[in-house]
Amino acid sequence: MPIKYYSTNRHLKSVDGVTPFTGSVSFREALLTGQAPDEGLFMPDAIPQLPPGLISRLKGKPYSEAARLAAGLFLADEFAPDILDFAVTDSYNFPVLLEKVKENAFVMRLDQGPTASFKDFAARLMARLMSNCRPPGERLNVLVATSGDTGSAVGYAFHRVRGIDVTILYPAAEVSGMQKKQLDTIGDNVRALCVAGKFDDCQNLVKQAFSDLELRHFNLTSANSINFGRILPQIIYYIYAYSQLAKEGEEIIFSVPSGNFGDALGCEYARRMGLPVKKLVMPTNENDEFPDFLQKGRYQKVSPSRACISNAMNVGHPSNLARFFDLYGGTVDRAGVVHRYPDIAEMRRRIFSVSVTDNETRKTIKNLYKNYGVVFEQHGAVGWAGLEAYWRENEDGTLAVCLETAHPAKFPDEIKKLLGFVPSLPPSMRGIDSRTGEALPLANNYEGFKKYLQGNLQVKE
Ligand SMILES: *Cc1c(COP(=O)(O)O)cnc(C)c1O
C-alpha cells in the first residue's frame, strides 16, 4: 500500500473558516500543493521501518546511498528507481562532514551545499522530485517570498532543474548585502524581484497570485518549508550519521538547533522508523515557547518573536509544532491555539528542550574554539549549548551528534568579534563576490506584479 498523506487539521470541527480535510493524498499531490485544503500540514499515514542490516550496509558509503535507500522507503511506490537515483545523486554532490569534538561527541556539518545551510539538503531533493511531478510537457512556476536565506536556498536548489522556473520576491530594505548578492546572481531559470516593501508585502503579493484564477494556467506552486517534500530529505542525515558513527543497535542522542522544527522533525521520524535515538535534544534561542511548554504542560506562543543572533530560529510559534503535536496525539492550529494536548509524558521521555540565551550562545562559540579548536556559528552553538544542558541534567556517555546548520563564514562579523578571525567560505560559496546579476525592481503593487508574471512566465516546457 502506498503511503498516503493526511492533514493535521482533520479534527478541527469548531474553528471558524476551517472545513477539516478528512481525506488523504499521494506524495506527489502533497508535494505540488504544499499544504492541505484546510491549511493543515500533510502527514504520512504510515511510517516505513528501516530494514534489518540497512545500517551496516551504509557504513562507509557516500551520502547519496543513504539518501537513495531512506527516501526510497517512502517513495518507492511513486517514483521509479532510476528517477530516485538521479534525484539523490544530483542533489547531494557535496560532502557531509562528521567531525569529532570530544570523546563520543560529534558535530555533523550540514553547511557544504550551495548556500552553506542545512536547508540546501531539503530544498535540492524537493526540487528534483517536483521536476518529476510536472504535468507532462508543461512547466511549473515556483513563487517564493523570502526575507533572505530561504529564498536563496530555494533558488539555488532549483537552479537549472528541468521544467521549473523560480520567481523570488524579497524586500529591498530588509536583506543583507551578502543575501542580496546571493539572490540576484543565481540566474538562468531563477529570477529575483526586489520589492519596494517589507517581507509581509512580498508574502501578500505571492499569496494573491496563488489565489488569482487568471494565473492558474501557469502551474504556480510554492516551495515553502511546510511542504512534506522538505521534511522527508531531513530524515536522511540522521540515518547517515548513525550508520557512520554507531555500532548497529547502539543508542544515540541528536541535538538539533530549532526554529520551525522541520529539522528536528526529521529526527523524530528517523526514530519512528527504528533508529535507536535515545533522546532528541531540541534547543531553541530565547524564543522559549517549546521548552516552556515541555516544562509546564501549557502552550503559549511567543508574540512577537524575539530577535536573537541565531536569527534563522527567531520563531514564536514553530510551523511544524502541529506535526509534533499530531505525532504525540494532540492538535494545535496555525494561530497557536491548542485544541487537544499531546501525550506530554511521552514527549518528555523522548525530547529534551531548553532555551539558550544569546550570551550563552556566544560563550559556547568561544569555549568550543578554546577547548577543542572547532568553529561553530550561532545556530549550531545553540545546539551544542543544549547538549551541554542535557549533560548537566543527565550523566550520560551515550554517543551524541550536534547538527551545525550553517557555515561560520556566513556570519563574519559575529565570528570575528568572538574568535578574532573570519573563517573562509566553503568551496561551494567561493567566488560569490565576482558573480554578476541584477534583481528586477518591483513596486509594492499587485497589478504590477501580475503584469510581470503574465509577461514573463511560460506554460510550455
Ligand atoms: C532554518 C534554520 C534553522 C532552524 O531550522 P528549523 O527546521 O526551522 O527548526 C537553524 N539554523 C539555520 C542556519 C537555519 O537556516
Side-chain angles (χ1 to χ4, degrees):
M1 278 272 284
I3 297 169
K4 292 284 204 178
Y5 294 79
Y6 66 82
S7 167
T8 52
N9 279 352
R10 70 202 176 288
H11 298 307
L12 285 191
K13 294 193 182 67
S14 57
V15 183
D16 268 358
V18 175
T19 311
F21 173 70
T22 53
S24 59
V25 302
S26 65
F27 177 82
R28 283 168 183 268
E29 241 177 300
L31 185 68
L32 289 183
T33 53
Q35 60 177 290
D38 58 8
E39 301 193 345
L41 277 58
F42 282 124
M43 302 281 290
D45 66 359
I47 298 174
Q49 296 300 296
L50 298 173
L54 177 93
I55 295 296
S56 28
R57 237 189 310 148
L58 290 177
K59 202 169 206 71
K61 292 278 163 50
Y63 187 82
S64 56
E65 185 69 6
R68 194 170 65 78
L69 293 171
L73 294 174
F74 278 89
L75 303 178
D77 287 318
E78 294 188 61
F79 295 85
D82 57 320
I83 286 175
L84 268 183
D85 251 5
F86 174 76
V88 298
T89 43
D90 199 43
S91 295
Y92 302 123
N93 55 3
F94 50 86
V96 179
L97 308 176
L98 286 160
E99 202 178 296
K100 182 169 175 176
V101 177
K102 57 178 223 181
E103 200 48 42
N104 236 14
F106 293 78
V107 56
M108 174 160 56
R109 296 197 182 269
L110 302 174
D111 59 3
Q112 303 291 303
T115 68
S117 123
F118 86 96
K119 294 200 169 70
D120 290 330
F121 283 76
R124 286 176 70 77
L125 184 53
M126 176 170 76
R128 283 149 187 82
L129 294 175
M130 273 179 144
S131 166
N132 212 265
C133 295
R134 284 171 294 140
E138 292 186 19
R139 233 164 239 281
L140 286 181
N141 280 290
V142 172
L143 299 185
V144 210
T146 182
S147 54
D149 277 355
T150 310
S152 56
V154 169
Y156 279 96
F158 282 94
H159 188 215
R160 297 186 178 145
V161 169
R162 197 169 155 202
I164 306 188
D165 290 337
V166 180
T167 306
I168 303 173
L169 284 76
Y170 68 83
E174 290 177 15
V175 299
S176 72
M178 170 136 63
Q179 285 172 332
K180 184 171 163 51
K181 187 88 189 172
Q182 273 193 314
L183 289 163
D184 292 352
T185 58
I186 305 173
D188 302 312
N189 60 330
V190 181
R191 189 70 165 120
L193 304 180
C194 174
V195 177
K198 297 169 144 325
F199 171 57
D200 285 344
D201 300 320
C202 298
Q203 261 189 323
N204 284 332
L205 291 173
V206 166
K207 255 197 199 148
Q208 279 190 65
F210 281 130
S211 54
D212 191 332
L213 292 178
E214 286 172 29
L215 298 176
R216 253 187 116 151
H217 59 290
F218 287 124
N219 296 325
L220 297 184
T221 183
S222 70
N224 58 28
S225 58
I226 58 174
N227 195 308
F228 190 78
R230 292 269 298 262
I231 303 296
L232 173 61
Q234 294 174 172
I235 299 172
I236 298 164
Y237 34 75
Y238 299 98
I239 297 171
Y240 173 76
Y242 183 84
S243 70
Q244 303 307 304
L245 298 173
K247 293 184 272 305
E248 188 144 15
E250 183 182 358
E251 287 193 309
I252 191 167
I253 293 168
F254 283 105
S255 182
V256 188
S258 293
N260 272 317
F261 292 10
D263 199 2
L265 188 68
C267 186
E268 177 72 35
Y269 277 118
R271 178 178 71 73
R272 287 169 188 256
M273 292 170 77
L275 204 70
V277 179
K278 179 176 182 187
K279 207 79 169 187
L280 165 55
V281 179
M282 290 173 60
T284 67
N285 60 23
E286 292 168 34
N287 292 282
D288 60 357
E289 64 280 355
F290 185 67
D292 202 54
F293 160 67
L294 272 192
Q295 199 174 39
K296 297 185 187 142
R298 293 272 113 200
Y299 181 71
Q300 179 79 57
K301 68 177 173 183
V302 170
S303 177
S305 61
R306 299 176 185 134
C308 299
I309 53 169
S310 48
N311 65 336
M313 290 159 41
N314 292 339
V315 180
H317 172 49
S319 51
N320 283 297
L321 188 67
R323 286 190 166 114
F324 270 98
F325 267 43
D326 194 88
L327 285 170
Y328 286 89
T331 306
V332 60
D333 67 23
R334 256 200 337 186
V337 178
V338 177
H339 298 266
R340 188 167 45 155
Y341 271 97
D343 181 345
I344 182 112
E346 178 65 5
M347 252 185 171
R348 285 178 183 141
R349 241 189 322 275
R350 302 296 183 184
I351 300 171
F352 174 88
S353 184
V354 62
S355 164
V356 178
T357 65
D358 276 355
N359 273 337
E360 291 169 298
T361 305
R362 292 192 174 101
K363 217 162 67 192
T364 304
I365 294 175
K366 281 191 179 164
N367 285 340
L368 277 165
Y369 187 65
K370 195 175 78 191
N371 298 335
Y372 308 111
V374 298
V375 181
F376 273 59
E377 54 71 63
Q378 52 262 37
H379 302 85
V382 168
W384 190 269
L387 198 50
E388 288 185 329
Y390 173 79
W391 285 329
R392 278 195 296 277
E393 290 184 25
N394 305 271
E395 258 185 77
D396 196 326
T398 309
L399 171 66
V401 176
C402 177
L403 273 56
E404 175 53 292
T405 48
H407 195 282
K410 289 183 85 173
F411 309 95
D413 299 341
E414 193 64 45
I415 302 302
K416 176 97 199 273
K417 253 191 291 176
L418 294 169
L419 303 183
F421 62 89
V422 177
S424 52
L425 286 165
S428 60
M429 277 182 73
R430 281 178 208 150
I432 183 150
D433 287 334
S434 59
R435 291 180 202 163
T436 55
E438 290 288 324
L440 197 78
L442 188 78
N444 175 21
N445 148 329
Y446 181 66
E447 284 315 309
F449 178 47
K450 182 171 176 175
K451 247 200 200 105
Y452 169 81
L453 294 176
Q454 287 174 321
N456 291 274
L457 298 191
Q458 293 172 50
V459 184
K460 293 279 167 239
E461 192 186 327

